[in-house]
Amino acid sequence: MAVGVFDSGLGGLTVLDAVVKRLPEVPFVYFGDNAHAPYGVRDADDIYDLTTAAVTRMFDAGCDLAIIACNTASAAALRRMQEGWVPRDKRVLGVFVPLIEALTERQWGDNSPPREVAVKHVALFATPATVASRAFQRELAFRAIGVDVEAQACGGVVDAIEDGDMILAEALVRSHVDALKRKMPTPEAAILGCTHYPLMQEIFQDALGPDVAVYSQANLVADSLADYLSRKPEFIGSGRESMFLTTGNPAKVSNAATQFLRRKITFVSA
Ligand code: DGL
């Protein structure tokens, strides 16, 4: 039994950490496409090709279920994959839906018609590709009415984090929050719509102020995965081994991942 967790790079380790804590008995196969990160500046066809290649590798490693932890890939490729690519006996899930279910106070998997919800002004921080896809707004419209979403494309933040330059990352986050506030001065909620951003959560919260509820995905995805597997245990695949696969340089990626999660992580070549 193994479940795949995919990200363009290291950011998905924030999701991996949460799912491992929530489901300690399940082996996870993590796939970081570090050689091709960042995805946030690529076009949709390119993201689709890279994501399907990565998910195929996770299926080969014994996963029947893959989580696309990367928001950019969830936004640009997931729907197309689900509509025509995913084999019948496999499942591929993204990270937007659990987040939107939490924001709109729905039970996991509640597909009832859209309704009015408490929150009215939502700020979305994400990569340029995620913002351009409008996937978050589309999924939200299936579930809620009357919610105003202002999206801010946070160029440069992922590169700064992948390069370990947290001073630059902080400066960029503060300037992106300022830009968002010029468009929407008083959001009630802010979505960190990129796996890398939980590492900057305190900076986002500080720049947004204490009255803004900041939603980040890792724990929400973990809860919804636990719920999904309790309803559909047949999708815990045949793999028995946890592993960390990368398209990048395994030694370099292992080093960065070990710093990122503050525990020893060893990647091997995908
Ligand atoms: N980690 C990805 C996400 O959640 C984006 C990083 C990238 O641009 O590759 O959107």
Side-chain angles (χ1 to χ4, degrees), residues 6-12 33 36-42 68-74 95-96 126-130 158-159 162 192-197 217:
F6 165 72
D7 190 62
S8 57
L10 297 175
D33 195 6
H36 304 111
Y39 277 18
V41 290
R42 291 178 181 274
I68 307 292
C70 179
N71 290 266
T72 306
S74 291
V95 285
F96 280 113
T127 65
T130 300
V158 168
D159 304 69
E162 290 273 328
L192 304 190
C194 171
T195 50
H196 288 66
Y197 301 172
Q217 290 164 322

Side-chain angles (χ1 to χ4, degrees), residues 30-72:
Y30 185 86
F31 187 116
D33 195 6
N34 302 74
H36 304 111
Y39 277 18
V41 290
R42 291 178 181 274
D43 70 29
D45 283 341
D46 200 10
I47 294 169
Y48 176 84
D49 291 342
L50 292 169
T51 306
T52 48
V55 172
T56 301
R57 177 68 183 89
M58 293 193 292
F59 289 160
D60 292 345
C63 301
D64 287 342
L65 170 64
I67 309 290
I68 307 292
C70 179
N71 290 266
T72 306

Side-chain angles (χ1 to χ4, degrees), residues 8-249:
S8 57
L10 297 175
L13 292 172
T14 57
V15 173
L16 180 85
D17 220 25
V19 294
V20 166
K21 281 193 184 113
R22 189 73 174 69
L23 296 161
E25 71 288 0
V26 175
F28 286 96
V29 175
Y30 185 86
F31 187 116
D33 195 6
N34 302 74
H36 304 111
Y39 277 18
V41 290
R42 291 178 181 274
D43 70 29
D45 283 341
D46 200 10
I47 294 169
Y48 176 84
D49 291 342
L50 292 169
T51 306
T52 48
V55 172
T56 301
R57 177 68 183 89
M58 293 193 292
F59 289 160
D60 292 345
C63 301
D64 287 342
L65 170 64
I67 309 290
I68 307 292
C70 179
N71 290 266
T72 306
S74 291
L78 181 63
R79 176 169 278 239
R80 187 168 157 200
M81 288 167 72
Q82 287 172 333
E83 281 172 357
W85 180 85
V86 179
R88 290 171 81 92
D89 57 342
K90 309 282 187 205
R91 290 292 181 274
V92 179
L93 303 176
V95 285
F96 280 113
V97 171
L99 183 73
I100 291 169
E101 286 173 339
L103 184 73
T104 57
E105 293 161 29
R106 283 181 177 242
Q107 297 294 317
W108 309 129
D110 170 358
N111 285 326
S112 59
R115 54 178 180 259
E116 290 236 14
V117 293
V119 63
K120 298 284 182 234
H121 302 283
V122 176
L124 169 68
F125 296 95
T127 65
T130 300
V131 169
S133 76
R134 296 187 61 80
F136 178 84
Q137 288 90 328
R138 187 182 64 221
E139 293 295 338
L140 183 66
F142 289 135
R143 295 168 179 81
I145 41 183
V147 184
D148 185 16
V149 177
E150 193 63 66
Q152 177 65 31
C154 298
V157 176
V158 168
D159 304 69
I161 293 174
E162 290 273 328
D163 290 346
D165 190 343
M166 303 315 261
I167 293 173
L168 175 60
E170 174 171 346
L172 288 168
V173 165
R174 290 191 186 278
S175 86
H176 288 305
V177 170
D178 282 348
L180 181 284
K181 279 178 157 175
R182 285 196 288 276
K183 298 179 281 184
M184 180 182 272
T186 52
E188 293 141 8
I191 306 293
L192 304 190
C194 171
T195 50
H196 288 66
Y197 301 172
L199 291 168
M200 309 303 294
Q201 185 157 348
E202 282 175 19
I203 311 296
F204 274 103
Q205 185 74 70
D206 185 58
L208 284 160
D211 296 337
V212 181
V214 175
Y215 287 74
S216 107
Q217 290 164 322
N219 289 329
L220 297 172
V221 171
D223 288 346
S224 102
L225 175 62
D227 177 72
Y228 187 89
L229 289 177
S230 72
R231 286 183 285 121
K232 298 177 191 278
E234 66 276 21
F235 287 111
I236 302 181
S238 59
R240 299 251 166 267
E241 214 193 316
S242 286
M243 55 182 117
F244 292 87
L245 304 172
T246 179
T247 53
N249 174 323

